[in-house]
Amino acid sequence: MRTIPAAARGFIGCAALAAVLCAAPALRLGAAAPWADALALAALYALCERLRPGWAGPVLLAAALLLPPPLAALTALPGALTALPGALTAPAEAPAAARRIWHAAELALACCAAGRLAGLLAAALGHRPLRAPDFPAALLTAAAAALAFCAVLAALDGAILIAAERRPPRSAWRGLLVPALGPCLVHGAAGLMTAVLWRSAYGPPAALLVLLPMYLSRWVFAQYHRERAAHQATIRALVQAVDLKDHYTRGHSERVGRASAMIARELGMTERRLEVLRFAGILHDVGKLGVPTRLLRKDGPLTPQERAVIELHPEYGHEIVRGIGFLGEARAAVLHHHERLDGSGYPYGLAGHRIPEAARVVAVADAFDAMTSTRSYRRARPVPAAVAELRRCAGTQFDPRMVAALATALERDGWQPGLATAAQAAPPPCGNVPPDLADHPSNAADEPPRATVPHRTAAAEDGAP
Amino acid sequence: MTTPAGGSAPLVAAVHGAAAVLAVWSLGRTLWDGLDRPGTALAFGVLIAAGELLRLGPGERESAPLGAAGALAYALLGETGARPAAHGPAQTVSVVLAAALVGLVRPLALGRDRTLDHLARRLLTAGFAATCFQPLYHTGALAPWGADGPLRAPLLVALLALTALCDAVLAAALARARTGWPYGPLLRDELRALPGIGSAICATGVVISLATAVAGLWALPVCALPLLLTQFAFRRFAAVRTTYRQTVASLARATEIAGCTPPGHARRVAALGRAVGRELGLGATDLDILEHAALLHDIGRLSLPDPLPAGSAAPLPPDGQRRIALLGGAVVRQTGAPPQVAAIVERQADPYRDQPVTARILRTVTAYDDLARQTAPPGGALRALERLRLSTAHDHDPRVVEALARVLAAAGGQKTRENQGNQGARRGVTRRLRRHHSR
């Protein structure tokens, strides 16, 4: 049995009561009111919501422009009360009936508010709605009504988040209104045209045509999200192929992606670049696909020849990802993530600022995760020790800016290694976790010789010391 | 049957000629009669030109939805703000031509054939719709049908549906003339795309014409907004599709880098498989699925503990092939590909009678690529085909082998040379990497 806090229950009750009060004057409207239009629009809205939730806003806005406010509030009810569960807004943990009531109440309030504002503006601007001579003024009215509709919805959604999930007000409201503004204006335009045609001589059949592009864009966006999910699954498959070969690095790629994104955010990079850097971290070792599995899993020290083969993996990786356009600078990061600031890295021995910025970010993230994650054959370091080690190597191996950014981000947000790989056993807070020798030849000198662990596969998978 | 171009060039010339004649007649007639309601003409011209400027990338079926909708709306415009608009078909075509020329200045300057096709289609469809509607409307012949009341919208939708059908026939004919691919599947693809963006264009065209009739020219930008949203959605979708394709191609390259398959194998199989599929009359959806499966068909080799050496002279025994196919199917399922792709990869090594046609194509083309690589270049292709023909009893579908032979013959010298050039370049990269290996 799912329950919600008493405050949220009270809030839903208040909203429902307010909605009833908004709609109640409809009873006094009498037979002269446009009941037939209200019924038709309500049926249309319910039908649209059943077809595919979340795109039928123009129908409600048309109702707000066409009908008296109490009737507009009633228009939303049948659609909201019969909506599919996926269409219902917060609170997620409430019982379905409560969520339906909440959804209906907030839509009714928003419709009523939009209708009332439209009526006031129409009176103030002195236009009889929706004929040619009224036109620039009617645009203003429709835009204001659409904005009022979205603002009321955003305010109520934020309030219920605060009441039900005890979110702090700023984080609850942030991100609700601003992203909704663009779609809201488009819905306003479509609502206005629906209303214009509905009332014209051409009637409802013409008004229905306005909804077709809206439905289509909703459908295409759904396709878009499906395709994007498939794309992300493909990227994960690439990474999993590496994990299959190299048991030590389970979850390593995801974590490096996360650490790279942390650094990028700390450096104030744009959201887009941050995503690219996340992918750079996730894919940095994809070239290990080209390295024989035998070498990746080898116990004990590597011969110089074997090391040379392993050191080819940045070039292999670049060869694999260079055709993926959206990765942008992440491709350079894959190629250069083993370069060192003093020029003694590989594959090209670039130094200083000739190493691409993205590669310098990924290098720090990679070393950090290698030091703090569980591997079977070496002592792990706790996060502060790893940061100290990064600081020690800053300037020679790592870019001090990136190291400082990572340290600041870690101090503020902490580090949850198990987050990305929740399905697997979380590694212990500290244990035998040193950086991979093959990954970081520089550290080889400071490390004690590798211990041979007989059941390394099991150990690596469980993350047990 | 599908010998490219040559005989079809007259068709392109005929379409372009018809469009040119229409354009010249319309311009002349408009100059002679003068412009009716220049304000309305200008507003629609601006809308169409803006639509052409905001076009989707090339390769989309309708690259400028807003331009198309604006042109159709002007063709179907009966009145503006309750005052009759008396422009006829000639003025419609003239306005569409002028606006499209403004919008298409850049692509026309770059001299792309497709832009000319696009312009010709735009003029012909606008002319067709206007010729069907304007005279009937202005003589009052449509009034008894309820064209001044609620029946106007369905009437206009029916007219635009007819226009869209004609446009699809024309587009498929032009595509056939340009590419030499079979007409049937091209027309089928055009028709199948109509309910998508095509329906939104038609609906918006009708809405703009009716809303302008009721509310005047202010309706133009307002009606354009929903279609712009649709266009934006399509663009996002197209972008993510491109990215997805690139990633799949890269995943396919991973097997080459890992040394499981010879360089360029997956890409060659994908390209050749697409050509053979087209020769056999597959539609666009099936071709996409076939290409996707072809790129990933060897992915199962990555799951083997010890990768099989690439380019080993003897092909795998059937058991081994089937095992790789099953492993590959499992991996492909994980990559979030459509289930049909995984099914093709899984069944690529079955006897052809148990396979769907896409898997037959994949099987035959893969075998061809392996055989052609093992045989020395002069006559290698022929000898590989001969080997395939000899195993049509059980392994390879004779229809697919013959389609492959036709594709290879049609592609002829030029394409083969191109491919060999690419192969050479790719081999160069791989050789460099291998040299590192032995360092």
Side-chain angles (χ1 to χ4, degrees), chain B residues 27-427:
Chain B
L27 283 177
R29 184 78 201 267
T30 312
L31 286 177
W32 187 257
D33 291 348
L35 209 58
D36 176 69
R37 290 198 185 281
T40 308
L42 182 68
F44 272 90
V46 168
L47 178 74
I48 297 168
E52 296 288 352
L53 282 173
L54 293 172
R55 57 215 319 260
L56 299 167
E60 293 299 316
R61 196 150 265 114
E62 172 53 66
S63 51
L66 188 57
L72 291 175
Y74 193 54
L76 301 183
L77 190 66
E79 58 227 76
T80 317
R83 287 174 305 170
H87 65 276
Q91 182 174 332
T92 307
V93 173
S94 307
V95 168
V96 170
L97 174 68
L101 282 180
V102 170
L104 291 174
V105 144
R106 221 174 72 89
L108 278 177
L110 294 176
R112 296 199 194 113
D113 289 346
R114 288 182 184 274
T115 316
L116 274 183
D117 287 356
H118 172 86
L119 187 60
R121 271 172 58 197
R122 182 76 84 240
L123 289 184
L124 289 174
T125 45
F128 178 81
T131 313
C132 289
F133 176 77
Q134 299 277 352
L136 285 179
Y137 179 77
H138 290 301
T139 55
L142 285 178
W145 296 68
D148 295 326
L151 282 183
R152 166 88 78 97
L155 264 177
L156 294 187
V157 168
L159 174 56
L160 283 195
L162 187 65
T163 312
L165 274 182
C166 296
D167 186 45
V169 170
L170 194 63
L174 282 173
R176 157 112 178 91
R178 293 263 175 234
T179 58
W181 299 341
Y183 185 74
L186 283 174
L187 181 61
R188 205 167 54 213
D189 289 342
E190 290 289 338
L191 291 179
R192 221 174 257 166
L194 280 186
I197 190 82
S199 69
I201 292 171
C202 289
T204 306
V206 174
V207 165
I208 292 182
S209 79
L210 294 182
T212 312
V214 178
L217 292 175
W218 283 99
L220 287 186
V222 183
C223 292
L225 274 183
L227 188 61
L228 280 178
L229 181 71
T230 315
Q231 191 172 335
F232 174 69
F234 267 93
R235 186 175 291 179
R236 291 278 293 272
F237 179 63
V240 80
R241 265 195 94 111
T242 311
T243 304
Y244 186 28
R245 271 183 192 198
Q246 290 173 347
T247 306
V248 168
S250 302
L251 187 60
R253 229 175 26 226
T255 57
E256 292 167 19
I257 303 286
C260 308
T261 52
H265 173 67
R267 253 183 21 157
R268 282 196 306 274
V269 169
L272 198 53
R274 200 173 239 285
V276 173
R278 198 175 287 122
E279 176 73 24
L280 287 170
L282 297 188
T285 321
D286 282 338
L287 287 179
D288 284 346
I289 285 174
L290 173 61
E291 182 177 20
H292 196 153
L295 283 171
L296 296 183
H297 75 277
D298 270 335
I299 203 78
R301 291 176 190 246
L302 281 181
S303 318
L304 296 178
D306 291 311
L308 302 157
S312 59
L316 284 175
D319 278 0
Q321 285 183 1
R322 215 158 294 151
R323 188 155 147 257
I324 289 177
L326 288 178
L327 283 170
V331 176
V332 171
R333 253 175 248 286
Q334 270 190 3
T335 66
Q340 302 97 306
V341 175
I344 296 177
V345 172
E346 240 163 35
R347 299 170 71 179
Q348 59 175 313
D350 293 354
Y352 81 84
R353 288 189 181 83
D354 304 342
Q355 289 176 314
V357 66
T358 35
R360 293 180 192 184
I361 296 173
L362 178 58
R363 170 161 204 182
T364 305
V365 172
T366 313
Y368 169 78
D369 193 69
D370 283 338
L371 289 170
R373 190 168 31 83
Q374 285 159 20
T375 344
L382 286 181
R383 243 171 292 161
L385 270 178
E386 200 49 46
R387 291 272 298 275
L388 291 180
R389 286 201 176 106
L390 287 177
S391 49
T392 46
H394 179 261
D395 292 342
H396 298 290
D397 184 352
R399 270 179 59 229
V400 175
V401 176
E402 286 323 304
L404 173 65
R406 284 199 299 273
V407 166
L408 291 172
Q414 186 197 349
K415 243 195 191 146
T416 334
R417 270 198 298 282
E418 258 171 43
N419 272 351
Q420 277 167 355
N422 285 345
Q423 270 177 43
R426 305 186 58 69
R427 243 180 251 136

Side-chain angles (χ1 to χ4, degrees), chain A residues 130-149:
Chain A
L130 314 180
R131 287 284 158 195
D134 314 320
F135 232 77
L139 286 182
L140 194 65
T141 309
L147 284 179
F149 185 83

Side-chain angles (χ1 to χ4, degrees), chain A residues 375-438:
Chain A
R375 308 233 169 138
S376 55
Y377 52 88
R378 224 172 6 182
R379 188 173 293 279
R381 301 178 194 205
V383 170
V387 173
E389 176 66 22
L390 287 176
R391 285 220 168 96
R392 202 177 62 75
C393 299
T396 55
Q397 185 174 355
F398 305 117
D399 185 339
R401 243 177 85 225
M402 312 304 170
V403 175
L406 180 64
T408 321
L410 285 172
E411 253 168 48
R412 202 186 45 235
D413 304 332
W415 176 244
Q416 292 102 30
L419 205 92
T421 51
Q424 302 156 22
C430 69
N432 292 328
V433 210
D436 187 334
L437 268 187

